[in-house]
Amino acid sequence: MSGPGDVLDLIRERRAFTRGDVLEITGMSRMTVATRIDALLEAGLIIESGTEKVAAGRPSRRLEFNTGHAFVIAANVDTTHTTVALTDLAGRVAAEERIEVAVADGPDVTLNAIADRAKHLLADGRIGREDVAAIALSIPGPVDPDTDRPSQPPIMPGWDAYPIPDHLKAALDVPVLVSNDADAAALGEQRVAHPGSRALCFIKVSSGIGTGIVLGGKAYRGTDGGAGDIGHVKIAGHGDLLCQCGARGCLAAAASGRAVARALVDLGKPTASASDVGVYLADGDPDAARLTQAAGRVIGEVVATMVSLLNPSEVVLGGVLASPPLLAGVRETLYPRSLPRATRHLSISQSTLGEKATAVGLAAMVVEREYSASAVNAALARS
Ligand SMILES: [Zn+2]
């Protein structure tokens, strides 16, 4: 145990709830534990609340990570628009603004608009730069885990390897974190809805199709940030369909919100985007329901492979197409195509958090990096 940051880790990860827990887990002296906890309390990194009943001895006050210690600016870049939110360290939104920039407008336009909105959120004077732990950005494409730059994103023209962290750091002078959007949403789902889950897959079905994987409580990004990018897996029987990425026969070309929208147009129903499909689904439109269920069946074929590979306890469906018909379609093909052992304890559900999941996941990623044991030890040593 090298410093207060290591004690914070125990409290943050809910392995220790009281001073007694810290004593027991670390084996440190009572005096050292008291010094470390006092340092954390003084820095506002933890709070003491209520009393925790203990089996023997005096009741002990409960220690908690202070999610109000700093703010996160969470920017969710979507295909057609971007939202910029000010959140606490648990991802609870205090203020939010929507910007009408499309990812196809390119990185300069999008990032300048985000920086402007962020400055606007900070402009009322109550919050200074020093109160912001980081600006965290989610993008609809893979992110290189070493550089935090987009890694050959299939549907983001002009963004490949663009130095997002440098651009935002120059504009806002706060730490920058970049994540794939499905990775962030997957982590948000795990933290809030399935905290005990050891393996969770989040399937986002909106304009495109993406997947986030959370293993052991951490987003699994893969060697090049490409883990879970199932939208461009080639599937049999759809080789004639042209995908946004330029290839033919991709899962996204056959079963994304964009594909369902096109099928609805063919039926004479005006549908401009995946969001419009979501509106039809909410209204109970039978054509939208039938086509979405059919898309779910195709997605289930690919997800069956993921399930056999990872044996998750949860598959969570999100994005604007997440609905009972999509869930039904996925179940229809996933179960027969998976090994019984891989699905014995599997729950397939629709996201209950919706768009909130991304901000929660981004805040969790910021906390993991900015409040790690080494970061906290270094910060407290400086102060
Ligand atoms: Zn494709």
Side-chain angles (χ1 to χ4, degrees):
M1 278 288 144
S2 53
D6 301 86
V7 174
L8 181 64
D9 262 5
L10 296 176
I11 296 166
R12 221 166 37 74
E13 291 168 5
R14 299 190 179 169
R15 286 186 283 149
F17 295 96
T18 63
R19 288 164 192 259
D21 293 344
V22 178
L23 272 172
E24 197 178 308
I25 294 170
T26 62
M28 294 188 301
S29 73
R30 201 167 282 276
M31 178 73 105
T32 310
V33 170
T35 311
R36 303 261 152 102
I37 285 174
D38 285 348
L40 294 173
L41 282 168
E42 203 170 306
L45 288 162
I46 57 170
I47 44 177
E48 280 187 303
S49 64
T51 48
E52 184 79 355
K53 286 204 168 56
V54 286
R58 286 183 300 139
S60 173
R61 300 199 72 183
R62 190 183 168 94
L63 303 169
E64 273 177 57
F65 176 53
N66 179 13
T67 54
H69 183 262
F71 290 93
V72 173
I73 300 169
N76 183 12
V77 179
D78 212 331
T79 338
T80 53
H81 66 277
T82 291
T83 51
V84 184
L86 193 64
T87 80
D88 69 3
L89 294 173
R92 282 181 289 257
V93 174
E96 189 172 58
E97 299 197 21
R98 181 182 160 113
I99 336 173
E100 300 303 325
V101 286
V103 77
D105 293 334
D108 265 326
V109 173
T110 308
L111 297 176
N112 287 339
I114 289 171
D116 277 354
R117 286 298 92 190
K119 284 177 188 161
H120 187 246
L121 285 169
L122 298 177
D124 72 359
R126 280 179 303 162
I127 301 159
R129 297 284 150 95
E130 66 283 3
D131 301 318
V132 177
I135 178 163
L137 204 76
S138 63
I139 60 168
V143 175
D144 185 317
D146 297 322
T147 63
D148 261 14
R149 295 181 182 202
S151 173
Q152 302 182 348
I155 57 154
M156 298 175 67
W159 288 79
D160 185 25
Y162 188 87
I164 297 174
D166 300 345
H167 188 125
L168 289 176
K169 179 97 177 109
L172 292 166
D173 195 27
V174 293
V176 182
L177 181 144
V178 187
S179 166
N180 168 261
D181 58 359
D183 287 355
L187 190 60
E189 291 286 345
Q190 193 266 343
R191 289 298 162 96
V192 175
H194 308 282
S197 172
R198 281 182 293 194
L200 174 148
C201 297
F202 174 82
I203 322 285
K204 181 181 177 184
V205 189
S206 285
S207 300
I209 299 172
T211 303
I213 302 163
V214 179
L215 300 177
K218 297 209 182 331
Y220 175 74
R221 295 163 79 170
T223 306
D224 297 295
D229 198 9
I230 63 168
H232 306 279
V233 167
K234 307 295 174 279
I235 47 166
H238 299 272
D240 53 329
L241 293 174
L242 183 63
C243 180
Q244 279 289 104
C245 73
R248 285 182 188 276
C250 296
L251 175 65
S256 64
R258 191 177 275 114
V260 173
R262 199 178 46 233
L264 283 167
V265 169
D266 289 346
L267 292 175
K269 295 200 161 159
T271 317
S273 65
S275 304
D276 290 349
V277 178
V279 173
Y280 280 125
L281 286 167
D283 289 347
D285 181 272
D287 290 322
R290 179 175 48 79
L291 290 165
T292 299
Q293 186 161 352
R297 283 195 287 271
V298 182
I299 293 166
E301 290 178 23
V302 176
V303 176
T305 304
M306 284 187 77
V307 163
S308 294
L309 194 69
L310 297 170
N311 185 204
S313 51
E314 277 83 25
V315 166
V316 181
L317 301 177
V320 289
L321 259 66
S323 58
L326 187 77
L327 197 62
V330 168
R331 285 171 189 272
E332 272 177 62
T333 47
L334 192 152
Y335 282 111
R337 283 166 192 260
S338 306
L339 293 170
R341 191 205 304 283
T343 54
R344 195 163 43 164
H345 297 116
L346 176 67
S347 128
I348 309 176
S349 62
Q350 197 180 318
S351 162
T352 49
L353 292 178
E355 290 201 358
K356 291 193 193 92
T358 312
V360 174
L362 287 175
M365 287 177 181
V366 168
V367 169
E368 241 168 60
R369 196 183 70 184
E370 302 296 325
Y371 292 83
S372 68
S374 55
V376 168
N377 288 338
L380 292 181
R382 274 197 305 271
S383 65

